[in-house]
Structure formats: structure tokens, C-alpha cells
Amino acid sequence: MNHRPRKRFGQHFLHDPNILEKMVRAIAPRADQQLVEIGPGQGALTLPLLKAAHRLTAIELDRDLLAPLQTAAAPWGALTLHNVDALRFDFTQLSSQGQPLRVVGNLPYNISTPLIFHLLAQASAIEDMHFLLQKEVVERLAAAPGSKTFGRLSVMVQYRCAVEPLFDVAPGAFKPPPKVASSFVRLTPFQPQRHVAVDEPLFERVVQAAFAQRRKTLRKSLQPLLTHLDFNAAAIDPGLRPEQLTIEDFVRLSNSRSSAPIGD
Ligand code: SAM
């Protein structure tokens, strides 16, 4: 395919057959599954997945890639392409027959974090996700409480999913090579959820406010949202810093907020 990679679409195409084989093996696609690829590009991952699954849905923003990809895919199965922005795509519509989605992608790094948040909001329709991401992002996704990289992304993703970093991929596996190292990761939504925040928008606000000023104590950063009574009810020391809390602590803290507005 005679296509010049576009920077604005975060295009770094995989060309290393060993890495592609490792990725497909980790995904382990089967014929009866509902596979969805984000950013198929020139089909490096799409074609082997299609060979195994016989059908696949893909979301690709770059219109110029669609026709050659459709042609390349034709011998291998049914490829349904959506020429839309994955950030605006309603993935739940694809699981309309109740079959959960297996979402995969070598994601455009410039939108990977908002894309993960977009998918988390639709996690109930998803069986698992396999993403190639910047290694630094995978480290944040998988970070444990107490570590420097543990932050809002870690809490929000681990609230909904099990996170398994699988293997690293060097820049040379891509054309053009990105400036940073990459890692392949599996995210598996908990069904049912492990911890349930009764008021999820509040839980998100608590996590966001806590990490917006991560050097401050929770007492200070959460002052607009929680009182000392809420900390008492959750049995959490308000003198702690946000990285010292577990996912379950954050859920318990937001669930402990009394319904009375602050100031009453
Ligand atoms: N899967 C291919 C591969 O591994 O060689 C291409 C991966 S490349 C890193 C990212 C792909 O996502 C590109 O094909 C790009 O055009 C596409 N893309 C970029 N932004 C997108 C968006 N907002 N929605 C859907 N696709 C997007």
C-alpha cells in the first residue's frame, strides 16, 4: 500500500511478524467471537485476526486507508469498517445481540488515555481489551498503591478492570518508529464489579480531586467534597496522600459521604 503515515492520526504501522504473532497469540481470537479493532491502519493486525475469527468490525478515522484495507481483507472474512472517530463511537451498539466485545488495537498514542476512559464507560459490553500503548501508560495503568506512577488513571481503570501487562515492544517494530517504548496490555472488565461506588460521578470527582493535588493531604484536596465525618465513617485518615489509598479505600470513602450538603 502506498500510504504516507500521518502524524496527526498517530500512525505507526507494525511490521515485525514476530511481534504480530505474539499479539495474536495473546488475544487468542476464536471464530464465534465479536472482535472490534480500533485503528486497523494497513491491516497488520486486522488480517491475522480476521483469518482466525472470520469476521471483524474496525473503526478507522483515516478515510484513505479504507478501500485498500477492504480489498486486502476480502479473502479472509467479513470486515465491517466504520469511518468515524473512535472517541465518539458507541461500542455498545455492536454488542446488540448480547455477545460481549473483544476490543483490540495498536492505539494512536495521542488519544489513548481519553479512549480508555471512553471504553471504561462502556465496560459492561466488553469481555476484554488488548492494547499496544506507550510503556509509560501501561505502567500507570498497572501501578500499585504507594508507587510514584499510581494516579487517577490507575484507580479508574483498576476500579473496572484487571490489568495485565503482557510484553514490551521496541520502537523498531513500527514504521515509522515512535520515540518511546511500547507495551502490550490486557484489560479485563470485572463482571460483576469487585467494588461498587454507589454514586459513580462522585467517586470520579473524589479520585480526580485527590490526584489533582497529589502532594496535598486528602483533608485539603477533598475539602470541597467530604467532611471529617465522611473520613471517620470510612475509617480513612484524612492526613494521608492519595497514592496511599487502595481502589477499595477510594470507593469506601466516596460511599461514606453523607447526603447532607457540606456547610450544613
Ligand atoms: N493497527 C495498525 C498497525 O498496527 O499497523 C495501525 C496502528 S496506528 C498506531 C493507529 C491507527 O489508528 C491509524 O490507522 C490511525 O489512522 C487510526 N486512528 C487515529 N485516530 C483515530 C481515531 N480517533 N479513531 C479511529 N482511528 C484512529
Side-chain angles (χ1 to χ4, degrees):
M1 194 187 294
N2 204 4
H3 176 87
R4 184 184 286 222
R6 294 195 164 108
K7 221 176 171 177
R8 77 190 146 102
F9 290 142
Q11 290 178 348
H12 296 277
F13 299 115
L14 280 166
H15 70 97
D16 181 329
N18 295 326
I19 293 295
L20 284 158
E21 200 193 312
K22 245 174 125 173
M23 289 168 71
V24 174
R25 225 181 307 134
I27 298 166
R30 283 211 326 269
D32 54 347
Q33 295 176 328
Q34 180 74 280
L35 285 169
V36 185
E37 185 181 4
I38 299 173
Q42 297 174 308
L45 190 57
T46 321
L47 301 186
L49 291 177
L50 199 55
K51 280 181 205 172
H54 310 309
R55 66 183 168 121
L56 185 144
T57 302
I59 294 116
E60 174 56 62
L61 191 54
D62 187 347
R63 156 158 41 100
D64 293 349
L65 293 170
L66 303 183
L69 184 57
Q70 199 62 268
T71 307
W76 306 111
L79 174 65
T80 307
L81 285 171
H82 294 264
N83 181 209
V84 288
D85 181 348
L87 282 171
R88 296 166 176 271
F89 190 72
D90 174 9
F91 288 80
T92 60
Q93 65 169 292
L94 300 176
S95 72
S96 52
Q97 286 93 22
Q99 197 182 9
L101 310 177
R102 303 199 66 205
V103 184
V104 305
N106 166 16
L107 296 188
Y109 292 172
N110 49 344
I111 59 159
S112 60
T113 305
L115 201 47
I116 290 171
F117 276 100
H118 181 62
L119 287 158
L120 289 180
Q122 306 176 58
S124 60
I126 297 174
E127 182 175 331
D128 59 18
M129 300 175 259
H130 288 81
F131 294 138
L132 192 53
L133 299 166
Q134 284 181 52
K135 186 176 161 110
E136 174 255 319
V137 174
V138 172
E139 282 168 357
R140 287 199 282 135
L141 292 176
S147 77
K148 255 194 194 163
T149 42
F150 186 70
R152 175 176 170 241
L153 184 63
S154 330
V155 176
M156 296 312 299
V157 171
Q158 292 173 33
Y159 168 64
R160 294 212 184 272
C161 305
V163 179
E164 292 169 78
L166 298 172
F167 51 86
D168 293 344
V169 178
F174 305 81
K175 272 188 190 155
K179 290 200 175 80
V180 292
S182 305
S183 293
F184 199 47
V185 67
R186 178 184 296 134
L187 308 177
T188 309
F190 297 120
Q191 316 275 13
Q193 289 236 149
R194 273 197 182 169
H195 310 293
V196 178
V198 182
D199 179 345
E200 284 189 344
L202 172 68
F203 169 68
E204 284 172 30
R205 276 162 62 211
V206 165
V207 175
Q208 166 144 36
F211 285 104
Q213 309 180 67
R214 62 183 293 144
R215 296 216 177 134
K216 293 203 172 162
T217 61
L218 295 168
R219 180 187 296 109
K220 284 211 162 153
S221 54
L222 297 180
Q223 193 212 344
L225 294 169
L226 302 172
T227 67
H228 69 281
L229 294 176
D230 302 326
F231 280 98
N232 283 350
I236 288 178
D237 174 0
L240 293 175
R241 301 216 161 28
E243 67 272 17
Q244 295 174 281
L245 264 56
T246 63
I247 315 299
E248 202 254 324
D249 288 336
F250 274 109
V251 170
R252 206 171 63 253
L253 189 55
S254 70
N255 284 351
S256 296
R257 187 173 81 158
S258 69
S259 48
I262 292 191
D264 278 12

